[in-house]
Amino acid sequence: MLELTMATVSAADAGATAGMTMAQAPSEPGAVLRVGRDAAVCRLVVPEDWLFVSRVHLEFSCGVDGTWRLTWLRGSQPDPAAEVRLTAGGTTRPLGYGATVPLPRGASGEVVVQDRATARSVDVGFHHEA
């Protein structure tokens, strides 16, 4: 099972958790959870005017071995308007544009999508049950 919680944070409401949304999916091959502006395909949706986030920005997908992977999907622009950082196991590292990384089993962490132009972010916490 993968559980996600998402909060959108701007400088005006930093530290607030109101508006937090959640999604979960079983660790079954083919299961997918997406984060972005397009409510038709994303389970966790950010405000439509937050253009630093793509229509479909992040994809959490479960492989045939039950391992979840995180992908920063490439958008329509050659250079992204955001930076993405992954924190897991006490280590924070940038995630490359278009890159895919496995999420550790039985771990919790956070993925932060940071606007490069202003103090806004999308914070997605995850818990991947063993």
Side-chain angles (χ1 to χ4, degrees):
M1 174 80 64
L2 181 71
E3 298 174 346
L4 303 177
T5 57
M6 182 189 79
T8 54
V9 181
S10 65
D13 61 6
T17 55
M20 187 173 283
T21 56
M22 293 189 272
Q24 64 183 18
S27 294
E28 297 173 352
V32 176
L33 293 170
R34 294 183 184 97
V35 178
R37 293 189 339 260
D38 188 344
V41 293
C42 296
R43 292 276 302 273
L44 296 174
V45 181
V46 304
E48 288 182 24
D49 63 341
W50 283 33
L51 300 179
F52 70 98
V53 177
S54 302
R55 287 180 51 255
V56 183
H57 200 89
L58 300 175
E59 181 175 86
F60 295 83
S61 59
C62 188
V64 295
D65 60 355
T67 298
W68 283 88
R69 291 165 183 79
L70 166 64
T71 302
W72 180 5
L73 299 169
R74 293 188 70 87
S76 59
Q77 301 299 316
D79 295 315
E83 296 176 357
V84 176
R85 295 183 309 275
L86 170 65
T87 301
T91 303
T92 300
R93 63 182 170 144
L95 183 62
Y97 191 39
T100 299
V101 296
L103 297 178
R105 281 185 178 268
S108 295
E110 182 178 48
V111 181
V112 176
V113 180
Q114 180 69 52
D115 188 342
R116 287 185 169 168
T118 188
R120 294 186 298 188
S121 68
V122 177
D123 299 354
V124 180
F126 69 86
H127 177 71
H128 183 197
E129 291 183 359

